[in-house]
């Protein structure tokens, strides 16, 4: 059963994640004028309609490893009180989905829902629409570029350097820390008895107002308390009034054992 629910935008704490970064990671390559697709899936382990959408996201991940396709699975928390608490869920992710309802003039939010480049939304398990949307975005030339790299970094803080050729008045830099793969055995709720697999799970999400600056750095405070390891950092530029995403990039990360030998 798909759940439809309108929620408020509360003040939220940063979600937790255990990640390790090093300052000598490769920076993002210089962008070309080809298009890109940021795909945000809003999902939940408590929703019986969500596993097909999760599986579709996994298929897209396998098919696009060398393409500028940026996949983000936000596990919302409003299903948690209906029988099963999704360990990947966060109220901050539900608030982001609610923000899209405002940006896209929607009366409701629901799971599974996909938003592409902040400008279109549809049912997350609709394979034809998702594939067509990604292909259309990749085929659409983009002259806006975003390049990112890591500066001084330790286990609890990372400095992300950014540089863009576009004007940034009215834009924010969104930064997601992502766990590439994970699974859970669901003991209650609509998916009781199933073992669910996930990809590109957002574990921490932060936004920074750029105030017209086209280059600089932001500090991301990393909370390791849940013991998770991040495998990617995805960043993108998003207009604060329309939600449109104009440029994106990503970095890989290293494991804690590697960071411990290099951090000061």
């Amino acid at each position: 059963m798909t759940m439809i629910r309108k929620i408020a935008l509360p003040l939220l704490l940063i979600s937790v994640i255990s990640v390790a970064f090093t300052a000598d990671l490769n920076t993002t390559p210089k962008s070309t004028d080809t298009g890109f697709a940021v795909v945000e899936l809003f999902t939940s382990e408590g929703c019986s309609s969500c596993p097909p959408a999760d599986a579709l996201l996994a298929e897209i991940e396998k098919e696009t490893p060398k393409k500028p396709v940026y996949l983000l699975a936000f596990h919302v928390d409003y299903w948690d009180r209906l029988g099963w608490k999704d360990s990947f869920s966060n109220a901050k992710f539900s608030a982001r989905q609610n923000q899209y309802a405002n940006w896209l003039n929607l009366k409701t939010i629901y799971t599974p829902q996909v938003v592409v480049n902040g400008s279109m939304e549809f049912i997350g398990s609709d394979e034809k629409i998702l594939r067509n949307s990604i292909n259309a975005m990749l085929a659409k030339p983009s002259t806006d570029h975003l390049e990112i790299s890591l500066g001084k970094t330790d286990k609890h803080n990372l400095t992300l350097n950014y540089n863009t050729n576009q004007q940034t008045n009215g834009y924010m830099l969104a930064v997601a820390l992502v766990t590439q793969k994970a699974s859970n055995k669901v003991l209650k709720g609509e998916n009781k008895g199933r073992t669910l697999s996930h990809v590109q799970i957002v574990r921490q999400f932060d936004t920074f107002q750029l105030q017209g600056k086209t280059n600089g750095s932001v500090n991301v405070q990393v909370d390791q308390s849940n013991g998770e390891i991040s495998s990617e950092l995805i960043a993108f530029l998003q207009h604060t009034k329309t939600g449109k995403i104009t440029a994106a990039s990503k970095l890989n990360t290293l494991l804690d054992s590697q960071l411990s030998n290099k951090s000061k």
Side-chain angles (χ1 to χ4, degrees), residues 158-175:
L158 67 88
T159 299
L160 184 68
N161 304 315
Y162 70 90
N163 183 58
T164 180
N165 66 331
Q166 72 166 75
Q167 68 86 18
T168 62
N169 286 316
Y171 281 84
M172 62 184 178
L173 178 69
V175 180

Side-chain angles (χ1 to χ4, degrees), residues 44-113:
S44 172
E45 290 184 340
C47 164
S48 62
S49 299
C50 287
D54 296 330
L56 177 57
L57 198 72
E59 288 183 23
I60 299 298
E61 180 195 37
K62 291 179 181 179
E63 296 169 2
T64 59
K66 296 183 179 181
K67 294 182 180 181
V69 177
Y70 307 94
L71 305 176
L72 298 166
F74 290 92
H75 287 238
V76 298
D77 74 332
Y78 50 83
W79 278 91
D80 287 358
R81 56 185 170 271
L82 300 177
W84 174 252
K85 179 175 173 55
D86 188 333
S87 61
F88 303 120
S89 67
N90 193 295
K92 192 171 186 178
F93 306 157
S94 302
R96 177 160 178 79
Q97 188 183 23
N98 197 65
Q99 179 63 69
Y100 271 123
N102 294 329
W103 278 328
L104 300 176
N105 296 314
L106 305 175
K107 293 182 179 180
T108 60
I109 59 175
Y110 58 91
T111 55
Q113 181 185 34

Side-chain angles (χ1 to χ4, degrees), residues 33-37 64 67-69 133-141:
D33 291 344
T34 58
F36 70 95
T64 59
K67 294 182 180 181
V69 177
S133 299
I134 291 174
N135 290 335
M137 291 299 180
L138 293 179
K140 184 179 180 180

Side-chain angles (χ1 to χ4, degrees), residues 30-34 142-145:
K30 186 174 179 58
S31 302
T32 65
D33 291 344
T34 58
S142 175
T143 58
D144 294 327
H145 304 154

